[in-house]
Amino acid sequence: MSYFNDPIEFRQPVSFTGDAAAEQAIVRYASKPFVLANITAGSLTFTNGTDIPANAIVLGAYIKTTTLPAFSAGTTTGVSAKIGTAADDDGFGQLVAIGGAIGIKIPEPGARRGVLNTSQNILVAFTATGGTPQLSEVNAGAGTVYLAYALAPV
């Protein structure tokens, strides 16, 4: 067996073949932007088999805020998000505030992290926080949700 330790830059798609390639778990990312309409509706969906491959093993999730949530008259002072499925709404990422500063928000992992996701859509649920929180009082906010996943070897 030989080893190649110099850095390699690939400028085109690369395929690896052989038994070793089938046993490697390659981390991939799916991303989906959200806008104010998603926040006020309370959800964003990664469709299984379209936005993320069926039988993906979700390794982690994070949210990158690009426009901070802002609020109209009322008592709402913040927006939080959690990432999961219909059966476990924080299964991949527990509730995390997405305001405060533009940038990456990393939720604590949920109980489904590392589990084979055979058929369920992955849902991002937005909730308002504050005195009497209402998503309808949010008048700005945008960003992207990222899912890190791997496919099980076949």
Side-chain angles (χ1 to χ4, degrees):
M1 180 179 286
S2 63
Y3 294 95
F4 185 79
N5 292 321
D6 293 331
I8 300 172
E9 181 178 328
F10 298 102
R11 295 179 184 263
Q12 304 251 351
V14 177
S15 296
F16 296 94
T17 59
D19 292 339
E23 297 171 8
Q24 300 299 313
I26 298 171
V27 177
R28 300 164 190 212
Y29 292 87
S31 63
K32 197 158 193 180
F34 64 89
V35 295
L36 177 60
N38 298 111
I39 295 172
T40 56
S43 67
L44 175 73
T45 302
F46 283 80
T47 303
N48 191 59
T50 303
D51 297 323
I52 187 168
N55 299 318
I57 301 168
V58 178
L59 305 172
Y62 67 93
I63 299 169
K64 183 177 181 184
T65 309
T66 55
T67 302
L68 286 178
F71 314 97
S72 61
T75 60
T76 300
T77 58
V79 176
S80 295
K82 54 188 169 181
I83 304 164
T85 66
D88 185 356
D89 65 356
D90 65 352
F92 299 116
Q94 296 179 23
L95 195 66
V96 64
I98 62 171
I102 290 175
I104 295 174
K105 316 298 181 189
I106 302 173
E108 290 295 320
R112 291 191 51 80
R113 187 180 72 168
V115 174
L116 187 66
N117 188 50
T118 55
S119 61
Q120 296 185 66
N121 291 337
I122 295 174
L123 309 173
V124 181
F126 297 99
T127 55
T129 59
T132 306
Q134 301 290 325
L135 286 174
S136 61
E137 295 175 354
V138 181
N139 62 12
T144 304
V145 177
Y146 294 88
L147 299 174
Y149 68 91
L151 298 175
V154 289

